[in-house]
Short mmCIF file of all heavy atoms in Angstrom, two decimals:
data_model
loop_
_atom_site.label_atom_id
_atom_site.label_comp_id
_atom_site.label_asym_id
_atom_site.label_seq_id
_atom_site.Cartn_x
_atom_site.Cartn_y
_atom_site.Cartn_z
N LEU A 1 1.92 14.82 -19.07
CA LEU A 1 0.96 15.65 -18.32
C LEU A 1 0.39 16.80 -19.15
O LEU A 1 -0.74 17.24 -18.91
CB LEU A 1 1.60 16.18 -17.05
CG LEU A 1 1.82 15.17 -15.95
CD1 LEU A 1 2.81 15.70 -14.91
CD2 LEU A 1 0.53 14.76 -15.31
N SER A 2 1.13 17.25 -20.14
CA SER A 2 0.65 18.38 -20.95
C SER A 2 0.04 17.96 -22.27
O SER A 2 -0.46 18.79 -23.03
CB SER A 2 1.81 19.36 -21.21
OG SER A 2 2.83 18.73 -21.97
N SER A 3 0.05 16.67 -22.56
CA SER A 3 -0.42 16.16 -23.85
C SER A 3 -1.95 16.19 -23.96
O SER A 3 -2.65 15.64 -23.12
CB SER A 3 0.07 14.73 -24.05
OG SER A 3 -0.56 14.17 -25.16
N ALA A 4 -2.44 16.80 -24.99
CA ALA A 4 -3.90 16.80 -25.25
C ALA A 4 -4.35 15.37 -25.60
O ALA A 4 -5.47 14.99 -25.30
CB ALA A 4 -4.23 17.75 -26.37
N TYR A 5 -3.48 14.61 -26.24
CA TYR A 5 -3.82 13.25 -26.62
C TYR A 5 -4.12 12.36 -25.41
O TYR A 5 -4.99 11.48 -25.48
CB TYR A 5 -2.68 12.63 -27.44
CG TYR A 5 -2.99 11.30 -27.98
CD1 TYR A 5 -3.83 11.12 -29.09
CD2 TYR A 5 -2.47 10.13 -27.39
CE1 TYR A 5 -4.13 9.89 -29.60
CE2 TYR A 5 -2.76 8.91 -27.90
CZ TYR A 5 -3.60 8.75 -28.99
OH TYR A 5 -3.90 7.51 -29.50
N HIS A 6 -3.44 12.59 -24.30
CA HIS A 6 -3.62 11.79 -23.07
C HIS A 6 -4.51 12.48 -22.05
O HIS A 6 -4.48 12.18 -20.89
CB HIS A 6 -2.26 11.46 -22.46
CG HIS A 6 -1.39 10.68 -23.38
ND1 HIS A 6 -1.74 9.45 -23.87
CD2 HIS A 6 -0.20 10.96 -23.90
CE1 HIS A 6 -0.78 9.01 -24.66
NE2 HIS A 6 0.17 9.92 -24.71
N ARG A 7 -5.36 13.37 -22.52
CA ARG A 7 -6.26 14.12 -21.63
C ARG A 7 -7.11 13.18 -20.79
O ARG A 7 -7.36 13.44 -19.63
CB ARG A 7 -7.15 15.05 -22.45
CG ARG A 7 -8.06 15.94 -21.63
CD ARG A 7 -8.89 16.90 -22.46
NE ARG A 7 -9.18 16.41 -23.80
CZ ARG A 7 -8.69 17.01 -24.94
NH1 ARG A 7 -7.93 18.05 -24.86
NH2 ARG A 7 -9.00 16.51 -26.13
N GLY A 8 -7.56 12.06 -21.33
CA GLY A 8 -8.40 11.12 -20.60
C GLY A 8 -7.69 10.44 -19.46
O GLY A 8 -8.33 9.94 -18.54
N GLN A 9 -6.37 10.41 -19.49
CA GLN A 9 -5.60 9.79 -18.42
C GLN A 9 -4.90 10.83 -17.52
O GLN A 9 -4.13 10.48 -16.65
CB GLN A 9 -4.53 8.85 -19.03
CG GLN A 9 -5.10 7.62 -19.69
CD GLN A 9 -5.66 7.93 -21.07
OE1 GLN A 9 -5.15 8.77 -21.81
NE2 GLN A 9 -6.73 7.25 -21.45
N ARG A 10 -5.23 12.10 -17.74
CA ARG A 10 -4.52 13.13 -17.03
C ARG A 10 -4.65 13.07 -15.52
O ARG A 10 -3.69 13.24 -14.79
CB ARG A 10 -4.94 14.52 -17.54
CG ARG A 10 -4.01 15.61 -16.98
CD ARG A 10 -4.14 16.92 -17.70
NE ARG A 10 -3.65 16.77 -19.07
CZ ARG A 10 -4.13 17.43 -20.11
NH1 ARG A 10 -5.12 18.26 -19.95
NH2 ARG A 10 -3.64 17.26 -21.31
N ASP A 11 -5.86 12.77 -15.02
CA ASP A 11 -6.02 12.67 -13.54
C ASP A 11 -5.14 11.54 -12.98
O ASP A 11 -4.53 11.70 -11.93
CB ASP A 11 -7.48 12.44 -13.18
CG ASP A 11 -8.32 13.70 -13.39
OD1 ASP A 11 -7.75 14.80 -13.48
OD2 ASP A 11 -9.56 13.56 -13.45
N LEU A 12 -5.13 10.40 -13.67
CA LEU A 12 -4.28 9.30 -13.23
C LEU A 12 -2.82 9.69 -13.29
O LEU A 12 -2.04 9.43 -12.33
CB LEU A 12 -4.54 8.04 -14.06
CG LEU A 12 -3.65 6.84 -13.80
CD1 LEU A 12 -3.74 6.40 -12.33
CD2 LEU A 12 -4.01 5.72 -14.73
N LEU A 13 -2.39 10.31 -14.36
CA LEU A 13 -1.01 10.75 -14.49
C LEU A 13 -0.64 11.73 -13.37
O LEU A 13 0.43 11.61 -12.76
CB LEU A 13 -0.77 11.42 -15.85
CG LEU A 13 -0.69 10.44 -17.02
CD1 LEU A 13 -0.88 11.20 -18.35
CD2 LEU A 13 0.62 9.70 -17.01
N ARG A 14 -1.51 12.66 -13.08
CA ARG A 14 -1.27 13.64 -12.00
C ARG A 14 -1.12 12.92 -10.65
O ARG A 14 -0.27 13.26 -9.84
CB ARG A 14 -2.36 14.66 -11.93
CG ARG A 14 -2.31 15.71 -12.99
CD ARG A 14 -3.41 16.73 -12.81
NE ARG A 14 -3.37 17.69 -13.89
CZ ARG A 14 -4.45 18.20 -14.46
NH1 ARG A 14 -5.66 17.87 -14.03
NH2 ARG A 14 -4.32 19.06 -15.45
N ARG A 15 -2.02 11.96 -10.43
CA ARG A 15 -1.97 11.23 -9.17
C ARG A 15 -0.65 10.47 -9.02
O ARG A 15 -0.02 10.49 -7.95
CB ARG A 15 -3.13 10.25 -9.10
CG ARG A 15 -3.11 9.44 -7.81
CD ARG A 15 -4.28 8.54 -7.70
NE ARG A 15 -4.18 7.85 -6.45
CZ ARG A 15 -5.11 7.11 -5.93
NH1 ARG A 15 -6.25 6.99 -6.57
NH2 ARG A 15 -4.94 6.51 -4.80
N LEU A 16 -0.20 9.81 -10.08
CA LEU A 16 1.06 9.07 -10.02
C LEU A 16 2.22 10.00 -9.86
O LEU A 16 3.15 9.73 -9.06
CB LEU A 16 1.23 8.22 -11.29
CG LEU A 16 0.14 7.14 -11.51
CD1 LEU A 16 0.36 6.50 -12.86
CD2 LEU A 16 0.10 6.13 -10.39
N HIS A 17 2.21 11.11 -10.56
CA HIS A 17 3.32 12.06 -10.50
C HIS A 17 3.38 12.76 -9.14
O HIS A 17 4.46 13.14 -8.69
CB HIS A 17 3.15 13.11 -11.62
CG HIS A 17 4.29 14.06 -11.69
ND1 HIS A 17 4.23 15.32 -11.10
CD2 HIS A 17 5.53 13.96 -12.24
CE1 HIS A 17 5.36 15.95 -11.31
NE2 HIS A 17 6.17 15.11 -11.99
N ALA A 18 2.26 12.89 -8.45
CA ALA A 18 2.23 13.55 -7.15
C ALA A 18 2.97 12.75 -6.08
O ALA A 18 3.40 13.30 -5.07
CB ALA A 18 0.80 13.80 -6.71
N ASP A 19 3.11 11.45 -6.31
CA ASP A 19 3.81 10.60 -5.35
C ASP A 19 5.32 10.70 -5.59
O ASP A 19 5.79 10.42 -6.68
CB ASP A 19 3.34 9.14 -5.50
CG ASP A 19 4.00 8.27 -4.48
OD1 ASP A 19 3.52 8.23 -3.33
OD2 ASP A 19 5.04 7.63 -4.81
N ALA A 20 6.08 11.06 -4.55
CA ALA A 20 7.51 11.27 -4.69
C ALA A 20 8.27 10.02 -5.10
O ALA A 20 9.30 10.11 -5.76
CB ALA A 20 8.08 11.82 -3.38
N VAL A 21 7.76 8.84 -4.76
CA VAL A 21 8.42 7.59 -5.12
C VAL A 21 8.11 7.23 -6.57
O VAL A 21 8.99 6.95 -7.38
CB VAL A 21 7.98 6.46 -4.17
CG1 VAL A 21 8.54 5.13 -4.62
CG2 VAL A 21 8.45 6.76 -2.74
N LEU A 22 6.84 7.25 -6.92
CA LEU A 22 6.43 6.89 -8.28
C LEU A 22 6.92 7.86 -9.32
O LEU A 22 7.13 7.51 -10.48
CB LEU A 22 4.91 6.75 -8.36
CG LEU A 22 4.30 5.66 -7.49
CD1 LEU A 22 2.79 5.65 -7.57
CD2 LEU A 22 4.89 4.27 -7.86
N ARG A 23 7.11 9.11 -8.93
CA ARG A 23 7.61 10.14 -9.87
C ARG A 23 8.99 9.79 -10.43
O ARG A 23 9.37 10.25 -11.49
CB ARG A 23 7.68 11.48 -9.10
CG ARG A 23 8.08 12.65 -9.94
CD ARG A 23 8.13 13.96 -9.16
NE ARG A 23 7.01 14.10 -8.26
CZ ARG A 23 7.11 14.44 -6.97
NH1 ARG A 23 8.28 14.70 -6.42
NH2 ARG A 23 6.04 14.55 -6.21
N ASN A 24 9.72 8.92 -9.72
CA ASN A 24 11.06 8.52 -10.18
C ASN A 24 11.03 7.42 -11.22
O ASN A 24 12.04 7.10 -11.83
CB ASN A 24 11.92 8.10 -9.00
CG ASN A 24 12.29 9.30 -8.17
OD1 ASN A 24 12.81 10.28 -8.67
ND2 ASN A 24 11.98 9.24 -6.89
N ALA A 25 9.87 6.80 -11.43
CA ALA A 25 9.73 5.79 -12.48
C ALA A 25 9.56 6.49 -13.82
O ALA A 25 9.05 7.59 -13.89
CB ALA A 25 8.55 4.87 -12.18
N PHE A 26 9.97 5.85 -14.89
CA PHE A 26 9.87 6.40 -16.23
C PHE A 26 8.49 6.04 -16.80
O PHE A 26 8.19 4.88 -16.97
CB PHE A 26 10.98 5.84 -17.12
CG PHE A 26 11.07 6.55 -18.45
CD1 PHE A 26 11.74 7.75 -18.58
CD2 PHE A 26 10.50 5.99 -19.57
CE1 PHE A 26 11.84 8.40 -19.78
CE2 PHE A 26 10.59 6.65 -20.79
CZ PHE A 26 11.27 7.84 -20.90
N PRO A 27 7.65 7.04 -17.07
CA PRO A 27 6.29 6.77 -17.54
C PRO A 27 6.15 6.76 -19.05
O PRO A 27 6.79 7.55 -19.76
CB PRO A 27 5.51 7.95 -16.96
CG PRO A 27 6.47 9.09 -17.08
CD PRO A 27 7.83 8.48 -16.81
N THR A 28 5.35 5.88 -19.56
CA THR A 28 4.94 5.89 -20.95
C THR A 28 3.47 5.50 -20.98
O THR A 28 2.93 5.03 -19.99
CB THR A 28 5.75 4.92 -21.84
OG1 THR A 28 5.65 3.61 -21.30
CG2 THR A 28 7.21 5.31 -21.94
N MET A 29 2.85 5.70 -22.11
CA MET A 29 1.44 5.31 -22.26
C MET A 29 1.36 4.17 -23.25
O MET A 29 2.04 4.19 -24.27
CB MET A 29 0.59 6.48 -22.78
CG MET A 29 0.49 7.66 -21.81
SD MET A 29 -0.34 7.30 -20.27
CE MET A 29 -1.95 6.76 -20.85
N THR A 30 0.52 3.21 -22.96
CA THR A 30 0.29 2.10 -23.88
C THR A 30 -1.15 1.63 -23.72
O THR A 30 -1.56 1.27 -22.63
CB THR A 30 1.29 0.96 -23.63
OG1 THR A 30 1.02 -0.10 -24.55
CG2 THR A 30 1.25 0.42 -22.24
N HIS A 31 -1.92 1.72 -24.78
CA HIS A 31 -3.31 1.28 -24.79
C HIS A 31 -4.10 1.88 -23.61
O HIS A 31 -4.79 1.17 -22.87
CB HIS A 31 -3.41 -0.23 -24.76
CG HIS A 31 -2.75 -0.84 -25.94
ND1 HIS A 31 -1.43 -1.26 -25.91
CD2 HIS A 31 -3.18 -1.10 -27.20
CE1 HIS A 31 -1.11 -1.76 -27.09
NE2 HIS A 31 -2.14 -1.65 -27.90
N ARG A 32 -3.97 3.17 -23.39
CA ARG A 32 -4.66 3.93 -22.34
C ARG A 32 -4.24 3.54 -20.92
O ARG A 32 -4.91 3.88 -19.96
CB ARG A 32 -6.18 3.83 -22.50
CG ARG A 32 -6.66 4.48 -23.76
CD ARG A 32 -8.13 4.46 -23.89
NE ARG A 32 -8.77 4.13 -22.61
CZ ARG A 32 -10.05 4.06 -22.42
NH1 ARG A 32 -10.85 4.27 -23.40
NH2 ARG A 32 -10.55 3.77 -21.26
N ALA A 33 -3.17 2.82 -20.80
CA ALA A 33 -2.61 2.48 -19.48
C ALA A 33 -1.25 3.20 -19.32
O ALA A 33 -0.57 3.44 -20.30
CB ALA A 33 -2.40 0.98 -19.35
N VAL A 34 -0.96 3.55 -18.09
CA VAL A 34 0.35 4.15 -17.79
C VAL A 34 1.32 3.00 -17.48
O VAL A 34 1.04 2.17 -16.64
CB VAL A 34 0.25 5.13 -16.61
CG1 VAL A 34 1.63 5.73 -16.32
CG2 VAL A 34 -0.78 6.21 -16.87
N ARG A 35 2.45 3.01 -18.17
CA ARG A 35 3.51 2.05 -17.89
C ARG A 35 4.58 2.79 -17.09
O ARG A 35 5.11 3.80 -17.53
CB ARG A 35 4.11 1.50 -19.18
CG ARG A 35 5.26 0.50 -18.92
CD ARG A 35 5.91 0.07 -20.21
NE ARG A 35 4.96 -0.56 -21.11
CZ ARG A 35 4.78 -1.88 -21.23
NH1 ARG A 35 5.48 -2.70 -20.50
NH2 ARG A 35 3.90 -2.35 -22.09
N LEU A 36 4.89 2.29 -15.93
CA LEU A 36 5.96 2.82 -15.11
C LEU A 36 7.12 1.85 -15.15
O LEU A 36 6.95 0.66 -14.87
CB LEU A 36 5.50 3.01 -13.66
CG LEU A 36 4.32 3.97 -13.48
CD1 LEU A 36 3.85 3.97 -12.04
CD2 LEU A 36 4.74 5.40 -13.89
N ARG A 37 8.28 2.34 -15.52
CA ARG A 37 9.46 1.50 -15.69
C ARG A 37 10.57 2.03 -14.80
O ARG A 37 10.83 3.22 -14.77
CB ARG A 37 9.89 1.49 -17.14
CG ARG A 37 11.03 0.61 -17.46
CD ARG A 37 11.42 0.73 -18.91
NE ARG A 37 10.28 0.49 -19.75
CZ ARG A 37 10.33 -0.10 -20.92
NH1 ARG A 37 11.47 -0.50 -21.39
NH2 ARG A 37 9.26 -0.25 -21.65
N MET A 38 11.26 1.12 -14.12
CA MET A 38 12.36 1.55 -13.25
C MET A 38 13.54 2.11 -14.03
O MET A 38 14.13 3.09 -13.63
CB MET A 38 12.83 0.34 -12.40
CG MET A 38 11.76 -0.16 -11.46
SD MET A 38 11.08 1.13 -10.42
CE MET A 38 12.53 1.69 -9.57
N ASP A 39 13.88 1.46 -15.15
CA ASP A 39 15.01 1.91 -15.95
C ASP A 39 14.51 2.14 -17.38
O ASP A 39 14.15 1.17 -18.04
CB ASP A 39 16.09 0.84 -15.95
CG ASP A 39 17.32 1.21 -16.79
OD1 ASP A 39 17.32 2.30 -17.42
OD2 ASP A 39 18.27 0.41 -16.81
N PRO A 40 14.49 3.37 -17.85
CA PRO A 40 13.95 3.64 -19.17
C PRO A 40 14.70 2.94 -20.29
O PRO A 40 14.17 2.70 -21.36
CB PRO A 40 14.04 5.15 -19.32
CG PRO A 40 15.04 5.58 -18.32
CD PRO A 40 15.00 4.59 -17.22
N MET A 41 15.96 2.58 -20.08
CA MET A 41 16.76 1.92 -21.10
C MET A 41 16.79 0.42 -20.99
O MET A 41 17.24 -0.26 -21.85
CB MET A 41 18.19 2.45 -21.07
CG MET A 41 18.25 3.97 -21.21
SD MET A 41 17.36 4.52 -22.63
CE MET A 41 18.65 5.21 -23.60
N GLY A 42 16.28 -0.10 -19.86
CA GLY A 42 16.34 -1.53 -19.61
C GLY A 42 15.00 -2.20 -19.83
O GLY A 42 14.10 -2.08 -19.01
N GLY A 43 14.85 -2.90 -20.94
CA GLY A 43 13.60 -3.57 -21.25
C GLY A 43 13.24 -4.64 -20.22
O GLY A 43 12.08 -4.98 -20.05
#
């Protein structure tokens, strides 16, 4: 959310983070898409 590099996806990131359920998923960025993962250690 604070990254200048992901500024173009900031509104989407804020929207996802605002949801109490989705906020519990582990987020990463890949090719301008947000990846939400249930277990950050489990591929």
Side-chain angles (χ1 to χ4, degrees):
L1 287 164
S2 64
S3 170
Y5 185 76
H6 299 300
R7 184 178 27 247
Q9 292 78 34
R10 191 164 292 147
D11 288 342
L12 175 58
L13 286 163
R14 284 182 183 143
R15 179 177 181 171
L16 299 174
H17 185 262
D19 182 83
V21 174
L22 297 176
R23 184 180 317 132
N24 289 306
F26 190 81
T28 56
M29 295 296 301
T30 180
H31 300 94
R32 295 184 16 179
V34 180
R35 178 185 301 264
L36 299 174
R37 184 182 304 215
M38 297 306 301
D39 179 358
M41 304 308 244

